[in-house]
Amino acid sequence: MDHRKLGATGPKVSAIGLGCMGMSDFYGPADRSESIATIHAALDAGITLLDTGDFYGIGHNELLIREALVGRSRDNVQISVKFGALRDPAGGFTGVDCRPVVVKNFLAYSLQRLGVNHIDIYRPARLDPAVPIEDTVGAIAEMVKAGYVRHIGLSEVGSDTIRRAHAVHPIADLQIEYSLIARGIEDDILATCRELGIGVTAYGVLARGLISGHWSKDRSGAQDFRSMGPRFQGDNLDRNLALVELLRAIAKDIGASVAQVAIAWVLAQGKDIVPLVGARRRDRLAEALGALDVTLTPAHLADLAKAFPPGVAAGGRYPDAQLAHMDSEKRKRA
């Protein structure tokens, strides 16, 4: 397994991380035993970075990771946790709270559920518009000093917020969506991260399965939040699946799967970028790991650039109501 360093101050992690969200939430029912087997397979393959959120399954995901790590060396695993999203008993989202007092409360519960004495990277899931980012990061910095957190990360925030946060405490990485069809980070956020020595952990590298080569029009379910995503609806889905066929043709020429080429493209965008793959099954994980063996030549990258120029996707990456509250989208709306 290759490794990459998350920014100037962050940890060295596996070149690919495992996003565990879908094992507990949002993508419909998951198989608990297969989820744990997938985490074990990831660790055995050399993946060290496990990404979760305390609100994934309302604590379920952290408990699942705890179970999967029984008997494993804590020193060989880096756990990244997002906090701040508020949910109700029905599973609905009710807002974001990143006040200093709740930062420490959320952290205490995560440490207990995970069964660990520290979290490697702790980050607010979204910017709380009612709380200055300096206050939130300052509270996490206190937890770094106390030994409960090793590094501070951010998620889905724009350049101004990144700079303000970094001025309070060094930021290890920004977690943000980045893929062949979600390239908003290239406008200015990526440059800001590189200027400040901040790494990027890229989620949605397969656009939540849309550009995996496995998605079809009949794949949807009432419990699958992707059905509410603009890119998975109506004519948008038809147009986006047509893009996947372009990717399939390029992948055939390369001699790799569609998913492997999509992941390899993210890997090729810089050694400071670590893609997170949301595999819920061992076969999907094995396919994703194959991206590490894919070498994209300048000709391949040119073909991909031609087929997937910025803004090529039909529909937004989240519903408009959610995008309106995302700090990382502010510059685009201005």
Side-chain angles (χ1 to χ4, degrees):
M1 173 64 67
D2 293 331
H3 291 81
R4 296 183 170 191
K5 195 172 188 304
L6 288 181
T9 63
K12 184 175 287 188
V13 301
S14 51
I16 286 179
L18 181 65
C20 299
M21 180 188 78
M23 298 176 181
S24 299
D25 219 344
F26 304 117
Y27 290 171
D31 183 291
R32 186 181 188 87
S33 61
E34 181 62 23
S35 294
I36 291 174
T38 301
I39 295 174
H40 287 166
L43 297 174
D44 291 342
I47 285 179
T48 66
L49 180 62
L50 301 180
D51 183 76
T52 185
D54 62 10
F55 52 95
Y56 292 167
I58 314 179
H60 176 276
N61 205 237
E62 291 178 320
L63 292 169
L64 183 76
I65 291 173
R66 176 179 184 157
E67 186 176 348
L69 293 181
V70 171
R72 300 277 177 160
S73 172
R74 176 70 178 90
D75 294 338
N76 295 332
V77 180
Q78 292 119 352
I79 303 173
S80 169
V81 178
K82 288 180 290 297
F83 71 90
L86 305 178
R87 303 187 70 174
D88 61 30
F93 284 88
T94 59
V96 176
D97 193 346
C98 292
R99 292 173 296 150
V101 66
V102 302
V103 168
K104 299 171 185 179
N105 178 77
F106 285 139
L107 175 61
Y109 278 82
S110 286
L111 290 168
Q112 181 68 24
R113 282 189 293 259
L114 286 163
V116 298
N117 61 14
H118 73 274
I119 287 171
D120 298 278
I121 312 172
Y122 200 53
R123 73 184 81 241
R126 294 289 186 270
L127 179 68
D128 183 342
V131 179
I133 191 63
E134 291 86 350
D135 293 355
T136 301
V137 170
I140 306 174
E142 291 179 22
M143 297 295 93
V144 172
K145 188 175 182 179
Y148 296 115
V149 172
R150 294 282 171 84
H151 303 279
I152 301 178
L154 298 171
S155 177
E156 286 289 356
V157 293
S159 290
D160 179 61
T161 300
I162 294 168
R163 293 183 186 280
R164 289 168 55 196
H166 191 68
V168 175
H169 187 280
I171 300 299
D173 72 311
L174 170 70
Q175 190 172 119
I176 194 164
E177 186 171 358
Y178 191 32
S179 73
L180 277 166
I181 66 168
R183 297 174 56 182
I185 186 176
E186 295 174 357
D187 290 346
D188 73 295
I189 292 174
L190 182 56
T192 298
C193 288
R194 287 176 168 163
E195 175 193 337
L196 299 176
I198 297 171
V200 171
T201 41
Y203 76 88
V205 293
L206 296 178
R208 300 176 180 80
L210 181 58
I211 60 171
S212 67
H214 303 297
W215 194 268
S216 63
K217 290 190 69 173
D218 57 359
R219 271 194 65 183
S220 63
Q223 294 178 294
D224 193 323
F225 94 113
R226 288 172 287 196
S227 62
M228 298 182 292
R231 292 180 177 173
F232 289 84
Q233 295 177 341
D235 292 341
N236 286 347
L237 179 58
D238 291 330
R239 291 167 59 189
N240 291 328
L241 288 178
L243 291 174
V244 176
E245 292 311 305
L246 296 177
L247 181 56
R248 197 183 306 277
I250 296 171
K252 184 178 180 180
D253 180 62
I254 293 171
S257 75
V258 172
Q260 288 168 346
V261 173
I263 297 168
W265 180 86
V266 177
L267 283 164
Q269 300 314 301
K271 293 290 187 180
D272 53 349
I273 299 173
V274 174
L276 300 172
V277 297
R280 301 194 294 169
R281 299 178 352 212
R282 284 168 287 181
D283 59 337
R284 293 287 193 254
L285 173 67
E287 180 184 19
L289 287 168
L292 294 168
D293 298 320
V294 175
T295 299
L296 298 178
T297 66
H300 295 146
L301 291 170
D303 288 343
L304 289 166
K306 182 178 180 181
F308 294 89
V312 70
R317 58 194 185 99
Y318 286 94
D320 288 344
Q322 292 185 43
L323 288 176
H325 297 287
M326 291 175 66
D327 188 65
S328 55
E329 294 287 321
K330 279 185 176 179
R331 186 173 180 274
K332 301 184 187 71
R333 299 195 305 271

